[in-house]
Amino acid sequence: IVIHGWPREDWEQIIQANTLAPEDSIRFLVETLAPKYPEASVEFKSVSFVVPTIHGALKRLLPPKRKELARADRDSKEDYSSLVYNVTMTMRNQGNQNSSALFIPQMNEVIES
């Protein structure tokens, strides 16, 4: 994370002490940083969610243009995955029983042509 508007002398002590557990970081930001520096902002460079139900909530939070880009990206991956599956099944059904070391380059050649 990157925190804007929090003086270095305050955060440097906390980081150097290395006493803040990752699971306590949000509580620390809310309870300590926010009241002390109300104009500070937090930028998350990377976020990981460990619950399977986050997808719907994230979809509702995306701005329309970003949601459209995410859908297009997902659709192109699904289209490519479907193409790979169809080519694979066709090649196998036509009798190509090569091991993956030979089969995958052959399959890629078909897809790229």
Side-chain angles (χ1 to χ4, degrees):
I1 84 173
V2 177
I3 301 173
H4 304 280
W6 187 13
R8 181 183 182 97
E9 56 273 2
D10 283 355
W11 64 260
E12 193 169 44
Q13 294 170 1
I14 293 161
I15 300 303
Q16 302 240 343
N18 200 26
T19 56
L20 188 62
E23 60 272 14
D24 296 329
S25 59
I26 298 297
R27 183 171 37 84
F28 174 77
L29 292 171
V30 171
E31 294 174 4
T32 305
L33 179 63
K36 195 171 180 181
Y37 301 102
E39 298 301 316
S41 64
V42 178
E43 177 183 347
F44 293 91
K45 293 290 188 176
S46 163
V47 179
S48 296
F49 298 100
V50 291
V51 293
T53 56
I54 197 70
H55 181 73
L58 290 178
K59 281 181 18 182
R60 289 190 298 276
L61 293 173
L62 286 175
K65 283 191 176 213
R66 180 66 183 103
K67 192 183 302 185
E68 186 179 315
L69 289 171
R71 280 190 181 131
D73 184 52
R74 181 200 63 209
D75 291 348
S76 71
K77 287 177 183 173
E78 288 175 359
D79 290 347
Y80 184 77
S81 181
S82 178
L83 174 65
V84 169
Y85 175 78
N86 288 330
V87 168
T88 300
M89 294 310 298
T90 300
M91 289 174 66
R92 290 294 189 204
N93 289 337
Q94 290 180 353
N96 187 330
Q97 298 304 317
N98 289 331
S99 68
S100 60
L102 293 173
F103 184 81
I104 291 174
Q106 292 170 339
M107 179 193 64
N108 287 334
E109 191 176 307
V110 170
I111 291 172
E112 290 172 4
S113 61

